[in-house]
Amino acid sequence: MINQPYPISCKVNGQTITADVSPEMRLLDFLRYELDLTGAKEVCGEGECGACTVVLNGKTVNSCLILAVEVNGSKITTIEGLSDVGNLNQMQEAFVDHHSVQCGYCIPGMVLSGEQIIKDHEKPSRDTIKEDLSGNICRCTGYQKIVDAIESVSETS
Amino acid sequence: MIYYAPTTLKEFNKYCQAHDNISILAGGTDILPRWQSDSSIKPKVLVDIKKMNELNSIQYSDKEIIIGALTTIQELKIDPIIQQEFSALSQSAREFAGVQIRHRATIGGNICNASPAGDLIPSLYVYNAVIEIAGSKGKKRISIQKFITGVGQTALKKDEIVINIILPKSNEKSIFYKLGLRQSMAISVINFAIAYELDGNGRWKSLKIAAGSVAPTVASLTTFANALCDGNNVDESIQLVDNDISPIDDIRASSNYRRSVLKNVLKFTIKEIYVG
Ligand SMILES: Cc1cc2nc3c(=O)[nH]c(=O)nc-3n(C[C@H](O)[C@H](O)[C@H](O)COP(=O)(O)OP(=O)(O)OC[C@H]3O[C@@H](n4cnc5c(N)ncnc54)[C@H](O)[C@@H]3O)c2cc1C
Ligand code: FES
Ligand code: FES
């Protein structure tokens, strides 16, 4: 089958990117293999686990279920875009302070979902935090410390 | 694969005429997981409709609410008027997947995918929703019951697209119930929506019930609902539910389980509404 390359232009972590992409390429692969942004991970590849979470026009999405061509004209933030030249942001610091990380594979997605929760709810209850984390699976931590970290940021912001 | 992203219906029609077989892409949350398991089903021509602004609004009037096909599940979930006046639909959006999927998945995609487990569909049945379709021959409207014709099957023709879902306003209240294998991120084992109005004397002025995952399409439980409206009691009438469903065994549940759990939860729910 012919794959007619399609020109896209988008902002990734504040930088303008232009590229000709195959219409079959997923956003996840574009970020990881074309832009070397390997923070977003692939686990399930079908929208269940949230390891591939990125922020698209201000909203968390699964980059394994989006084609690169679809983000033409959009703004994307990956986990790499949260810290400012090596300085972790508040949510990232909270994950460190609360020992929320074990193997780390789910954590980029968890941090970005945490950011979304703080944006969507003024003072989220633990139940709300858990509910809104339901699209992110962690195999290691048992979630408590992840919820602790997000809760601590919501209390200070 | 060739990719197009039309911004207007006119442009959409142009691509449909130029190619025999196009595949519409909305949020992609049904289509893309399918490619993952079988890459041979990728289409030759993919038409991404997300840049068509005319499909992307919710309009309110005294008579009805017009929901654009591209409205996402998250947008439905947080809409205050839908929360107030169409609570079953709002509830079904709340119980839908997780945040990331809700940010992408659309109402148009949910009905066009026509899964018997599609969570928005039972509510649309009890509201008597009307689907507005556009094609090369113009626009038309059909009921949701006529729109969905089988498992994954709809009345849409090759060059047609769903543009709006229209909900007539009424005095009825509504509720939605979903049973999954876990609390979130689960496909429904069964689900149902009820729209109803009680008169001052505790009698049903109207009662509509639609259940999902218990037949090839969402099933309207009219025999049972009519029996209740005729004044029969819930415990005696509940067996009538069997007349309107034909569940199957699958990986999520057996047919017998689906029958019993639907009847049990329905019985409790109806009693709860009745007692208030
Ligand atoms: C992890 C996960 C969890 C999920 N959880 C749920 C859940 O809890 N409940 C539930 O009901 N579903 C669930 N789904 C299924 C899916 O998210 C929904 O069915 C969703 O509403 C599909 O919308 P979409 O915009 O992503 O559709 P797409 O994948 O873009 O399209 C689906 C189908 O509809 C067609 N189509 C889309 N829009 C139009 C239109 N306007 N006109 C004509 N044809 C159109 C497409 O061609 C395609 O055939 C889940 C999916 C995933 C991956
Ligand atoms: S890899 Fe995308 S959700 Fe699991
Ligand atoms: S820390 Fe290992 S998967 Fe979450």
Side-chain angles (χ1 to χ4, degrees):
Chain A
M1 204 185 289
I2 20 149
N3 271 316
Q4 203 168 300
Y6 190 91
I8 62 167
S9 161
C10 56
K11 270 212 160 135
V12 181
N13 299 332
Q15 233 188 327
T16 303
I17 307 279
T18 52
D20 285 330
V21 295
S22 155
E24 291 190 9
M25 179 181 275
R26 299 175 308 172
L27 174 59
L28 176 62
D29 300 321
F30 180 66
L31 294 171
R32 290 179 58 85
Y33 303 120
E34 303 290 318
L35 305 185
D36 250 351
L37 295 168
T38 53
K41 309 276 186 259
E42 172 155 22
V43 178
C44 68
E46 47 188 52
E48 299 279 349
C49 76
C52 65
T53 301
V54 301
V55 181
L56 177 59
N57 299 327
K59 292 175 185 146
T60 48
V61 294
N62 301 307
S63 62
C64 70
L65 295 188
I66 296 175
L67 300 170
V69 283
E70 290 180 73
V71 305
N72 187 23
S74 302
K75 272 194 199 150
I76 294 157
T77 306
T78 68
I79 190 70
E80 288 88 346
L82 282 198
S83 52
D84 181 19
V85 268
N87 296 317
L88 301 184
N89 86 350
Q90 200 189 357
M91 184 65 72
Q92 292 170 311
E93 288 285 6
F95 271 65
V96 175
D97 293 344
H98 288 84
H99 305 281
S100 313
V101 182
Q102 290 189 20
C103 81
Y105 220 72
C106 70
I107 298 297
M110 289 289 182
V111 170
L112 293 172
S113 286
E115 292 279 340
Q116 182 80 51
I117 292 170
I118 302 301
K119 213 170 101 183
D120 288 349
H121 309 277
E122 213 167 300
K123 285 268 176 285
S125 65
R126 283 184 80 83
D127 281 347
T128 301
I129 296 175
K130 286 183 196 167
E131 202 178 311
D132 281 17
L133 276 186
S134 64
N136 294 79
I137 291 177
C138 175
R139 189 54 190 79
C140 308
T141 66
Y143 302 98
Q144 295 304 330
K145 294 183 173 185
I146 292 174
V147 176
D148 291 344
I150 297 170
E151 196 178 27
S152 78
V153 176
S154 77
E155 278 160 0
T156 57
S157 55
Chain B
M1 190 158 79
I2 304 173
Y3 173 84
Y4 294 118
T7 54
T8 61
L9 269 175
K10 217 169 132 191
E11 218 182 318
F12 173 84
N13 287 334
K14 196 181 78 189
Y15 295 133
C16 283
Q17 266 146 28
H19 300 277
D20 285 346
N21 240 330
I22 64 137
S23 185
I24 292 176
L25 172 72
T29 62
D30 274 315
I31 298 181
L32 266 74
R34 246 175 257 153
W35 292 359
Q36 182 83 0
S37 40
D38 180 3
S39 69
S40 72
I41 57 174
K42 287 183 186 167
K44 283 210 179 77
V45 183
L46 186 67
V47 180
D48 180 357
I49 60 173
K50 281 190 295 300
K51 299 223 155 60
M52 296 171 64
N53 286 336
E54 52 205 303
L55 276 56
N56 209 346
S57 68
I58 305 182
Q59 293 160 268
Y60 315 90
S61 76
D62 295 341
K63 284 197 337 244
E64 58 195 19
I65 287 192
I66 303 179
I67 304 174
L70 285 176
T71 305
T72 64
I73 311 301
Q74 187 72 4
E75 287 163 346
L76 287 179
K77 182 189 162 191
I78 62 177
D79 188 282
I81 296 186
I82 293 178
Q83 271 167 20
Q84 252 175 37
E85 298 183 24
F86 297 93
S87 27
L89 185 64
S90 183
Q91 181 68 24
S92 66
R94 258 200 308 282
E95 296 197 30
F96 199 107
V99 179
Q100 295 97 318
I101 296 282
R102 288 203 295 270
H103 280 152
R104 290 300 278 183
T106 66
I107 184 171
N110 200 247
I111 62 169
C112 293
N113 194 51
S115 159
D119 279 325
L120 303 187
I121 304 172
S123 305
L124 300 180
Y125 267 58
V126 299
Y127 297 143
N128 289 322
V130 174
I131 311 304
E132 190 174 20
I133 296 170
S136 52
K137 296 196 192 77
K139 293 182 184 171
K140 65 180 181 195
R141 293 179 172 201
I142 67 170
S143 70
I144 180 77
Q145 288 88 349
K146 291 214 171 99
F147 178 79
I148 294 180
T149 55
V151 180
Q153 303 291 318
T154 68
L156 272 187
K157 304 218 176 65
K158 248 178 26 194
D159 62 343
E160 289 179 334
I161 179 171
V162 170
I163 52 174
N164 286 309
I165 292 86
I166 302 159
L167 308 181
K169 287 202 180 184
S170 80
N171 294 324
E172 292 173 344
K173 292 189 175 144
S174 64
I175 50 177
F176 172 78
Y177 174 85
K178 167 172 175 173
L179 176 78
L181 293 182
R182 57 182 177 126
Q183 222 168 20
S184 48
M185 294 297 285
I187 295 179
S188 289
V189 168
I190 59 134
N191 59 19
F192 61 80
I194 305 179
Y196 65 94
E197 196 180 353
L198 286 164
D199 68 13
N201 305 318
R203 270 189 293 265
W204 300 101
K205 252 172 113 172
S206 67
L207 177 63
K208 284 167 282 170
I209 311 172
S213 274
V214 289
T217 65
V218 165
S220 297
L221 307 183
T222 36
T223 324
F224 172 60
N226 289 343
L228 294 185
C229 289
D230 289 342
N232 295 299
N233 116 341
V234 185
D235 292 313
E236 282 161 18
S237 314
I238 192 71
Q239 295 312 326
L240 296 171
V241 166
D242 282 323
N243 296 355
D244 293 319
I245 63 175
S246 52
I248 55 161
D249 296 327
D250 68 14
I251 49 164
R252 275 178 289 282
S254 68
S255 135
N256 281 338
Y257 177 71
R258 289 194 158 97
R259 275 184 197 279
S260 347
V261 82
L262 174 63
K263 286 187 281 190
N264 285 341
V265 184
L266 203 50
K267 212 160 63 179
F268 285 124
T269 312
I270 295 279
K271 285 181 182 174
E272 229 162 70
I273 295 174
Y274 208 70
V275 177

